[in-house]
Amino acid sequence: MTMLTKVKSSREAADAVYDYALPAGEGWMYELEPGQVLRLVDTEGNQAADTLFYDADNPEDHFSAIHTISAQKNVYLTTGSKLISESGKELLEIVADTVGRHDTLGGACSAQSNTVRYAHDRLPMHNCRDNFMLQLAKHGESFTKRDIAPNINFFMNVLVTPEGGLSFEDGISGPGHYVEMKAKCRTKVLISNCPQLNNPCSGFNPTSIRLLVWDQ
Amino acid sequence: MENLWNLTLGSGAKWSGIISKGKLIRIRALEDGANLSGLLFNAGNLTESYNMPDTLKAQHTSRLTRGNVLMSDNGRAMASIVEDDLDWHDPIGGYTTRQLTDEKYGKTTFQENQNEWFRSGEENLAMELMRNGLQFRDMVPVFNLFSKIKVDEFGDMHFIEGHCKQGDTVTLRTEMDVVLLLSNTPNPHDPRKDYPSVPVEIEVLPAESVKEDDYCVNYRPENKRAFENTWDYYKLVTQ
Ligand SMILES: [Zn+2]
Protein backbone atom coordinates (compact mmCIF):
# COMPACT_ATOMS: atom_id res chain seq x y z
CA MET A 1 0.00 0.00 0.00
CA THR A 2 2.55 2.59 1.05
CA MET A 3 4.99 3.73 -1.62
CA LEU A 4 8.49 3.02 -0.43
CA THR A 5 11.31 5.05 -1.90
CA LYS A 6 14.57 3.17 -1.95
CA VAL A 7 17.85 4.93 -2.61
CA LYS A 8 21.13 3.07 -3.01
CA SER A 9 24.54 4.38 -1.99
CA SER A 10 27.63 4.56 -4.17
CA ARG A 11 29.98 4.10 -1.21
CA GLU A 12 32.19 0.99 -1.25
CA ALA A 13 32.91 -1.01 1.91
CA ALA A 14 36.62 -1.06 0.96
CA ASP A 15 36.77 2.74 1.39
CA ALA A 16 35.26 2.73 4.88
CA VAL A 17 37.42 3.94 7.79
CA TYR A 18 35.51 1.71 10.23
CA ASP A 19 33.84 -1.66 9.69
CA TYR A 20 32.42 -3.70 12.57
CA ALA A 21 29.85 -6.45 13.00
CA LEU A 22 27.91 -5.67 16.18
CA PRO A 23 26.65 -8.97 17.62
CA ALA A 24 22.98 -9.40 18.50
CA GLY A 25 22.08 -8.06 21.92
CA GLU A 26 25.10 -5.79 22.30
CA GLY A 27 25.41 -2.03 22.68
CA TRP A 28 27.67 0.37 20.78
CA MET A 29 28.63 4.00 21.17
CA TYR A 30 30.63 5.96 18.63
CA GLU A 31 31.36 9.57 17.80
CA LEU A 32 30.94 10.85 14.25
CA GLU A 33 32.73 13.94 12.94
CA PRO A 34 30.76 16.40 10.78
CA GLY A 35 30.52 15.02 7.23
CA GLN A 36 31.18 11.41 8.23
CA VAL A 37 28.71 8.85 6.97
CA LEU A 38 27.41 5.92 9.03
CA ARG A 39 25.83 2.87 7.40
CA LEU A 40 23.83 0.25 9.32
CA VAL A 41 23.46 -3.04 7.47
CA ASP A 42 20.72 -5.53 8.39
CA THR A 43 23.11 -8.41 7.74
CA GLU A 44 20.71 -11.35 7.93
CA GLY A 45 17.42 -9.47 7.79
CA ASN A 46 14.60 -8.93 10.32
CA GLN A 47 16.88 -7.26 12.87
CA ALA A 48 16.03 -4.06 14.78
CA ALA A 49 18.72 -1.47 15.49
CA ASP A 50 17.51 0.76 18.34
CA THR A 51 19.39 4.00 17.88
CA LEU A 52 19.82 7.33 19.69
CA PHE A 53 21.91 10.40 18.88
CA TYR A 54 23.42 13.21 20.94
CA ASP A 55 25.05 16.49 19.97
CA ALA A 56 28.65 15.62 20.95
CA ASP A 57 29.36 19.30 21.73
CA ASN A 58 26.35 19.43 24.07
CA PRO A 59 25.51 15.83 25.06
CA GLU A 60 22.51 17.02 27.09
CA ASP A 61 20.79 17.65 23.74
CA HIS A 62 19.35 14.29 22.68
CA PHE A 63 17.63 13.15 19.50
CA SER A 64 13.95 14.06 19.41
CA ALA A 65 11.69 11.57 17.64
CA ILE A 66 8.76 13.98 17.79
CA HIS A 67 10.60 17.10 16.51
CA THR A 68 11.94 14.89 13.71
CA ILE A 69 8.56 13.60 12.58
CA SER A 70 6.83 16.96 13.18
CA ALA A 71 9.37 18.81 11.03
CA GLN A 72 8.73 16.46 8.10
CA LYS A 73 5.03 15.97 9.00
CA ASN A 74 5.48 12.23 8.49
CA VAL A 75 6.01 9.51 11.09
CA TYR A 76 8.37 7.31 9.05
CA LEU A 77 12.02 7.91 8.26
CA THR A 78 13.76 7.35 4.94
CA THR A 79 16.18 9.04 2.53
CA GLY A 80 16.03 12.81 3.01
CA SER A 81 14.78 12.65 6.61
CA LYS A 82 16.61 15.12 8.82
CA LEU A 83 17.23 13.79 12.32
CA ILE A 84 16.63 16.65 14.75
CA SER A 85 17.57 17.11 18.41
CA GLU A 86 15.32 18.30 21.24
CA SER A 87 16.73 21.84 20.84
CA GLY A 88 15.92 21.80 17.11
CA LYS A 89 19.47 21.17 15.85
CA GLU A 90 19.91 19.03 12.75
CA LEU A 91 22.20 16.18 13.83
CA LEU A 92 22.18 13.95 10.74
CA GLU A 93 20.41 13.38 7.43
CA ILE A 94 19.55 10.00 5.93
CA VAL A 95 21.31 9.90 2.55
CA ALA A 96 20.59 6.34 1.38
CA ASP A 97 18.08 3.67 2.36
CA THR A 98 17.26 0.37 0.70
CA VAL A 99 14.44 -0.40 3.16
CA GLY A 100 12.23 2.64 2.59
CA ARG A 101 10.74 3.14 6.04
CA HIS A 102 12.00 3.13 9.63
CA ASP A 103 10.11 3.45 12.91
CA THR A 104 10.08 6.46 15.26
CA LEU A 105 7.23 5.53 17.63
CA GLY A 106 7.94 2.01 18.93
CA GLY A 107 10.79 2.98 21.24
CA ALA A 108 13.32 0.62 22.81
CA CYS A 109 12.36 -2.56 24.62
CA SER A 110 13.07 -2.71 28.35
CA ALA A 111 12.75 -5.31 31.10
CA GLN A 112 9.89 -3.28 32.57
CA SER A 113 8.00 -2.77 29.32
CA ASN A 114 8.40 -6.49 28.59
CA THR A 115 6.54 -7.25 31.83
CA VAL A 116 3.71 -5.02 30.64
CA ARG A 117 3.61 -6.22 27.05
CA TYR A 118 4.11 -9.96 27.60
CA ALA A 119 4.23 -11.29 31.17
CA HIS A 120 5.72 -10.47 34.58
CA ASP A 121 8.18 -13.35 34.26
CA ARG A 122 9.99 -11.63 31.34
CA LEU A 123 11.71 -9.21 33.74
CA PRO A 124 15.10 -10.97 33.61
CA MET A 125 15.32 -11.02 29.81
CA HIS A 126 18.01 -8.94 28.10
CA ASN A 127 16.75 -5.76 26.49
CA CYS A 128 17.69 -2.56 24.65
CA ARG A 129 17.18 -0.08 27.50
CA ASP A 130 19.72 -2.02 29.60
CA ASN A 131 22.18 -1.82 26.69
CA PHE A 132 21.64 1.92 26.45
CA MET A 133 22.25 2.31 30.18
CA LEU A 134 25.41 0.23 30.18
CA GLN A 135 26.87 2.19 27.25
CA LEU A 136 25.98 5.55 28.84
CA ALA A 137 27.48 4.37 32.15
CA LYS A 138 30.71 3.35 30.39
CA HIS A 139 30.91 6.67 28.56
CA GLY A 140 30.64 8.45 31.87
CA GLU A 141 30.80 12.18 31.28
CA SER A 142 27.49 13.59 32.34
CA PHE A 143 25.20 10.89 31.00
CA THR A 144 22.39 9.51 33.16
CA LYS A 145 19.21 7.52 32.58
CA ARG A 146 17.37 10.77 31.86
CA ASP A 147 19.32 11.04 28.59
CA ILE A 148 17.51 7.99 27.21
CA ALA A 149 14.85 9.58 25.04
CA PRO A 150 12.52 7.81 22.59
CA ASN A 151 14.71 6.41 19.82
CA ILE A 152 14.68 5.31 16.19
CA ASN A 153 14.19 1.63 15.37
CA PHE A 154 16.03 1.15 12.12
CA PHE A 155 14.67 -1.74 10.00
CA MET A 156 11.52 -1.99 12.10
CA ASN A 157 8.09 -1.78 10.49
CA VAL A 158 5.66 -0.19 12.95
CA LEU A 159 2.55 0.98 11.15
CA VAL A 160 0.29 3.78 12.31
CA THR A 161 -3.21 3.33 10.93
CA PRO A 162 -5.64 6.15 10.00
CA GLU A 163 -7.88 4.88 12.84
CA GLY A 164 -5.09 5.59 15.32
CA GLY A 165 -3.87 2.02 15.72
CA LEU A 166 -0.27 0.97 16.07
CA SER A 167 0.71 -2.38 14.60
CA PHE A 168 3.97 -4.25 14.51
CA GLU A 169 4.25 -5.75 11.06
CA ASP A 170 6.61 -8.22 9.57
CA GLY A 171 9.84 -6.60 8.47
CA ILE A 172 10.12 -4.94 5.08
CA SER A 173 13.88 -5.08 5.50
CA GLY A 174 15.88 -8.12 4.43
CA PRO A 175 19.38 -9.58 4.31
CA GLY A 176 21.85 -6.90 3.21
CA HIS A 177 19.39 -4.00 3.35
CA TYR A 178 20.92 -0.83 4.77
CA VAL A 179 20.39 2.75 5.83
CA GLU A 180 23.05 5.43 5.57
CA MET A 181 23.23 8.82 7.28
CA LYS A 182 25.55 11.81 7.18
CA ALA A 183 26.50 13.67 10.35
CA LYS A 184 25.84 17.43 10.20
CA CYS A 185 27.77 18.10 13.42
CA ARG A 186 29.86 16.12 15.92
CA THR A 187 27.35 13.45 16.85
CA LYS A 188 27.41 10.63 19.37
CA VAL A 189 25.62 7.51 18.16
CA LEU A 190 24.19 5.01 20.65
CA ILE A 191 22.93 1.67 19.32
CA SER A 192 21.40 -1.36 20.96
CA ASN A 193 21.27 -4.28 18.56
CA CYS A 194 17.92 -5.53 19.83
CA PRO A 195 17.86 -8.83 21.78
CA GLN A 196 14.04 -9.02 21.77
CA LEU A 197 12.84 -12.66 21.77
CA ASN A 198 9.18 -11.96 22.51
CA ASN A 199 8.03 -10.57 19.18
CA PRO A 200 8.84 -10.79 15.47
CA CYS A 201 10.89 -7.54 15.37
CA SER A 202 14.02 -9.69 15.32
CA GLY A 203 12.28 -12.69 13.81
CA PHE A 204 12.71 -14.45 17.21
CA ASN A 205 16.35 -14.83 16.16
CA PRO A 206 18.42 -11.68 16.81
CA THR A 207 21.37 -11.37 14.44
CA SER A 208 24.34 -9.04 13.99
CA ILE A 209 24.32 -5.69 12.23
CA ARG A 210 27.30 -4.34 10.31
CA LEU A 211 28.42 -0.80 11.03
CA LEU A 212 30.48 1.10 8.48
CA VAL A 213 31.83 4.66 8.62
CA TRP A 214 33.20 6.76 5.76
CA ASP A 215 34.95 10.11 6.06
CA GLN A 216 32.62 11.58 3.43
CA MET B 1 -17.93 14.59 45.02
CA GLU B 2 -16.18 17.43 46.79
CA ASN B 3 -13.87 19.54 44.65
CA LEU B 4 -10.45 19.79 46.32
CA TRP B 5 -8.85 22.39 44.10
CA ASN B 6 -9.34 24.22 40.84
CA LEU B 7 -7.49 26.48 38.49
CA THR B 8 -8.15 28.14 35.15
CA LEU B 9 -5.19 28.08 32.81
CA GLY B 10 -5.47 30.95 30.34
CA SER B 11 -4.05 31.16 26.84
CA GLY B 12 -0.32 30.37 26.88
CA ALA B 13 -0.27 29.64 30.61
CA LYS B 14 1.67 26.89 32.37
CA TRP B 15 1.46 25.03 35.65
CA SER B 16 3.21 22.24 37.50
CA GLY B 17 2.67 20.56 40.80
CA ILE B 18 2.55 17.33 42.75
CA ILE B 19 -0.73 15.42 42.75
CA SER B 20 -0.87 12.32 44.88
CA LYS B 21 -2.31 9.01 43.75
CA GLY B 22 -6.02 8.42 43.89
CA LYS B 23 -7.18 11.78 42.57
CA LEU B 24 -9.23 12.80 39.57
CA ILE B 25 -7.93 15.60 37.38
CA ARG B 26 -10.85 16.89 35.35
CA ILE B 27 -9.91 19.24 32.52
CA ARG B 28 -12.51 21.21 30.56
CA ALA B 29 -12.04 23.24 27.37
CA LEU B 30 -13.63 26.64 27.98
CA GLU B 31 -13.70 27.44 24.23
CA ASP B 32 -13.45 25.48 20.98
CA GLY B 33 -10.06 24.16 19.86
CA ALA B 34 -8.11 23.68 23.09
CA ASN B 35 -4.70 22.00 23.30
CA LEU B 36 -3.04 21.27 26.62
CA SER B 37 0.46 19.73 26.52
CA GLY B 38 1.38 17.57 29.49
CA LEU B 39 4.19 15.55 31.05
CA LEU B 40 4.24 13.29 34.11
CA PHE B 41 7.09 12.36 36.46
CA ASN B 42 7.02 10.09 39.50
CA ALA B 43 6.99 12.53 42.44
CA GLY B 44 8.95 10.05 44.55
CA ASN B 45 11.59 9.35 41.91
CA LEU B 46 12.10 11.96 39.21
CA THR B 47 14.11 9.57 37.02
CA GLU B 48 10.81 7.87 36.14
CA SER B 49 8.61 9.64 33.61
CA TYR B 50 5.70 9.27 31.20
CA ASN B 51 6.99 7.36 28.19
CA MET B 52 5.25 7.84 24.87
CA PRO B 53 6.56 4.74 23.03
CA ASP B 54 5.97 2.42 26.00
CA THR B 55 2.43 3.79 26.36
CA LEU B 56 1.60 3.46 22.68
CA LYS B 57 3.13 0.07 21.98
CA ALA B 58 1.65 -1.58 25.08
CA GLN B 59 -1.83 -0.48 24.04
CA HIS B 60 -1.31 -0.77 20.26
CA THR B 61 -2.55 2.75 19.78
CA SER B 62 -1.42 6.15 18.51
CA ARG B 63 -4.39 7.94 20.08
CA LEU B 64 -5.34 8.27 23.72
CA THR B 65 -8.88 7.93 25.02
CA ARG B 66 -10.96 6.44 27.85
CA GLY B 67 -9.45 3.18 29.07
CA ASN B 68 -5.91 4.13 28.11
CA VAL B 69 -3.20 4.35 30.71
CA LEU B 70 -0.28 6.77 30.63
CA MET B 71 2.65 4.47 31.36
CA SER B 72 6.11 5.24 32.69
CA ASP B 73 9.47 4.12 31.36
CA ASN B 74 9.53 1.72 34.33
CA GLY B 75 6.47 -0.17 33.15
CA ARG B 76 4.01 1.39 35.60
CA ALA B 77 0.60 3.00 35.30
CA MET B 78 1.07 6.70 36.19
CA ALA B 79 -2.41 7.98 35.32
CA SER B 80 -5.40 6.62 33.46
CA ILE B 81 -8.08 8.26 31.35
CA VAL B 82 -11.30 7.47 33.21
CA GLU B 83 -13.73 9.83 31.44
CA ASP B 84 -13.52 11.39 28.01
CA ASP B 85 -15.92 13.42 25.86
CA LEU B 86 -13.52 13.10 22.92
CA ASP B 87 -12.32 9.84 21.45
CA TRP B 88 -8.86 11.05 20.61
CA HIS B 89 -6.05 12.91 22.37
CA ASP B 90 -2.73 13.34 20.57
CA PRO B 91 0.49 11.71 21.85
CA ILE B 92 2.69 12.37 18.77
CA GLY B 93 2.30 16.03 17.78
CA GLY B 94 4.88 17.46 20.20
CA TYR B 95 5.09 20.96 21.66
CA THR B 96 5.64 24.36 20.05
CA THR B 97 9.19 25.71 20.10
CA ARG B 98 10.12 29.39 20.43
CA GLN B 99 11.28 29.39 16.81
CA LEU B 100 8.06 27.87 15.48
CA THR B 101 5.94 30.24 17.60
CA ASP B 102 7.75 33.32 16.24
CA GLU B 103 7.63 32.06 12.66
CA LYS B 104 3.99 31.04 12.71
CA TYR B 105 2.30 33.76 14.77
CA GLY B 106 4.74 36.66 14.51
CA LYS B 107 7.45 37.67 16.91
CA THR B 108 6.13 38.94 20.23
CA THR B 109 7.97 40.11 23.33
CA PHE B 110 6.93 40.92 26.85
CA GLN B 111 8.25 44.49 26.45
CA GLU B 112 5.98 45.09 23.48
CA ASN B 113 2.96 42.91 24.26
CA GLN B 114 3.18 42.44 28.02
CA ASN B 115 1.32 39.32 29.15
CA GLU B 116 -0.37 38.97 25.77
CA TRP B 117 2.92 37.80 24.26
CA PHE B 118 2.87 34.31 22.78
CA ARG B 119 4.39 31.63 25.02
CA SER B 120 5.94 28.45 23.60
CA GLY B 121 5.58 24.93 24.93
CA GLU B 122 9.36 24.58 24.84
CA GLU B 123 9.97 27.48 27.22
CA ASN B 124 6.95 26.82 29.43
CA LEU B 125 7.97 23.21 29.98
CA ALA B 126 11.67 24.07 30.39
CA MET B 127 10.76 26.44 33.24
CA GLU B 128 8.49 23.91 34.93
CA LEU B 129 11.11 21.16 34.55
CA MET B 130 13.65 23.41 36.30
CA ARG B 131 11.14 24.30 39.04
CA ASN B 132 10.86 20.60 39.87
CA GLY B 133 14.56 19.84 39.98
CA LEU B 134 14.75 18.67 36.38
CA GLN B 135 16.40 20.12 33.30
CA PHE B 136 15.71 20.52 29.60
CA ARG B 137 17.55 17.21 29.05
CA ASP B 138 14.59 15.54 30.80
CA MET B 139 12.25 16.68 28.03
CA VAL B 140 10.42 13.77 26.42
CA PRO B 141 7.40 13.61 24.08
CA VAL B 142 4.33 15.28 25.60
CA PHE B 143 0.69 14.23 25.41
CA ASN B 144 -1.60 16.84 23.90
CA LEU B 145 -5.08 16.74 25.43
CA PHE B 146 -7.98 17.83 23.15
CA SER B 147 -6.03 17.52 19.85
CA LYS B 148 -6.34 14.92 17.09
CA ILE B 149 -3.63 14.05 14.57
CA LYS B 150 -4.48 11.44 12.00
CA VAL B 151 -1.72 9.56 10.19
CA ASP B 152 -2.57 8.42 6.65
CA GLU B 153 -1.37 5.28 4.89
CA PHE B 154 1.76 7.11 3.69
CA GLY B 155 2.69 8.20 7.21
CA ASP B 156 1.71 11.84 6.67
CA MET B 157 0.39 13.59 9.77
CA HIS B 158 -2.88 15.54 9.51
CA PHE B 159 -4.20 17.82 12.24
CA ILE B 160 -8.00 17.50 12.46
CA GLU B 161 -9.60 20.93 12.89
CA GLY B 162 -12.79 21.37 14.86
CA HIS B 163 -12.12 18.28 17.00
CA CYS B 164 -12.48 19.91 20.41
CA LYS B 165 -15.64 21.87 21.24
CA GLN B 166 -16.27 24.25 24.11
CA GLY B 167 -17.15 22.24 27.22
CA ASP B 168 -15.40 19.03 26.16
CA THR B 169 -13.91 17.35 29.20
CA VAL B 170 -11.30 14.69 29.87
CA THR B 171 -10.57 13.20 33.29
CA LEU B 172 -7.31 11.59 34.36
CA ARG B 173 -7.00 9.51 37.52
CA THR B 174 -3.59 9.48 39.21
CA GLU B 175 -2.33 5.97 39.90
CA MET B 176 0.99 7.22 41.35
CA ASP B 177 2.12 10.34 43.18
CA VAL B 178 3.01 12.42 40.15
CA VAL B 179 4.53 15.73 39.21
CA LEU B 180 2.22 17.02 36.49
CA LEU B 181 3.59 19.64 34.07
CA LEU B 182 1.14 21.51 31.85
CA SER B 183 1.57 24.03 29.06
CA ASN B 184 -1.52 25.60 27.49
CA THR B 185 0.21 26.28 24.19
CA PRO B 186 -0.83 25.42 20.62
CA ASN B 187 -0.41 22.03 19.02
CA PRO B 188 2.48 22.56 16.56
CA HIS B 189 0.38 20.99 13.79
CA ASP B 190 -2.63 23.31 14.24
CA PRO B 191 -2.88 25.29 10.98
CA ARG B 192 -4.87 28.21 12.45
CA LYS B 193 -3.09 31.52 11.88
CA ASP B 194 -4.14 33.30 15.08
CA TYR B 195 -2.32 31.89 18.12
CA PRO B 196 -4.71 29.01 18.87
CA SER B 197 -4.66 28.72 22.62
CA VAL B 198 -7.87 28.92 24.65
CA PRO B 199 -8.49 28.73 28.41
CA VAL B 200 -8.99 25.39 30.13
CA GLU B 201 -10.35 24.72 33.60
CA ILE B 202 -8.76 22.12 35.85
CA GLU B 203 -10.50 20.59 38.85
CA VAL B 204 -8.99 18.04 41.21
CA LEU B 205 -11.31 15.71 43.13
CA PRO B 206 -10.79 12.60 45.23
CA ALA B 207 -11.12 9.38 43.24
CA GLU B 208 -12.88 6.28 44.48
CA SER B 209 -10.47 3.44 45.14
CA VAL B 210 -9.71 1.30 42.10
CA LYS B 211 -11.98 -1.74 42.02
CA GLU B 212 -11.32 -5.13 40.50
CA ASP B 213 -13.70 -4.45 37.62
CA ASP B 214 -12.18 -1.04 36.83
CA TYR B 215 -12.53 -0.08 33.17
CA CYS B 216 -8.93 1.11 32.73
CA VAL B 217 -7.40 -1.83 34.62
CA ASN B 218 -9.30 -4.29 32.42
CA TYR B 219 -9.07 -2.35 29.15
CA ARG B 220 -6.24 -4.60 27.96
CA PRO B 221 -4.17 -7.30 29.72
CA GLU B 222 -1.16 -4.99 29.30
CA ASN B 223 -2.91 -2.31 31.35
CA LYS B 224 -3.59 -4.75 34.16
CA ARG B 225 0.09 -5.72 34.29
CA ALA B 226 1.11 -2.03 34.35
CA PHE B 227 -1.30 -1.48 37.29
CA GLU B 228 0.12 -4.55 39.05
CA ASN B 229 3.62 -3.09 38.63
CA THR B 230 2.44 0.16 40.24
CA TRP B 231 0.73 -1.62 43.14
CA ASP B 232 3.87 -3.70 43.70
CA TYR B 233 5.99 -0.54 43.72
CA TYR B 234 3.83 0.99 46.46
CA LYS B 235 4.11 -2.15 48.58
CA LEU B 236 7.79 -1.27 48.94
CA VAL B 237 7.73 2.51 49.19
CA THR B 238 4.78 3.02 51.55
CA GLN B 239 4.22 1.70 55.07
ZN1 LIG C 1 15.01 -4.00 21.80
Side-chain angles (χ1 to χ4, degrees), chain A residues 31-32 52-63 85-87 89-92 141 143 185-189:
Chain A
E31 196 170 299
L32 295 171
L52 269 171
F53 302 103
Y54 303 87
D55 175 0
D57 293 318
N58 176 23
E60 296 186 6
D61 195 14
H62 55 244
F63 167 74
S85 78
E86 200 67 55
S87 77
K89 187 170 176 176
E90 186 183 336
L91 301 175
L92 308 101
E141 294 172 50
F143 285 119
C185 60
R186 285 179 63 237
T187 304
K188 283 184 192 290
V189 185

Side-chain angles (χ1 to χ4, degrees), chain A residues 50 108-109 127-128 194-196:
Chain A
D50 292 44
C109 63
N127 63 84
C128 286
C194 188
Q196 183 59 264

Side-chain angles (χ1 to χ4, degrees), chain A residues 2 62 66-67 70 73-75 86 106 108 115-118 120 129 142 145-147 162-164 166, chain B residues 47 54 57 60-63 73 93-95 137-139 150-151 153-157 189 225 228-229:
Chain A
T2 304
H62 55 244
I66 295 297
H67 279 346
S70 285
K73 291 190 166 19
N74 189 292
V75 296
E86 200 67 55
T115 69
V116 173
R117 294 183 71 198
Y118 309 108
H120 290 299
R129 212 99 38 103
S142 58
K145 172 178 172 286
R146 64 215 296 200
D147 297 300
E163 297 73 38
L166 196 73
Chain B
T47 67
D54 285 4
K57 71 184 169 190
H60 290 256
T61 191
S62 60
R63 71 193 238 204
D73 66 321
Y95 55 83
R137 72 195 307 173
D138 295 288
M139 188 75 95
K150 229 172 153 158
V151 175
E153 59 179 316
F154 302 106
D156 291 325
M157 301 165 77
H189 297 262
R225 289 193 289 271
E228 286 165 350
N229 286 344

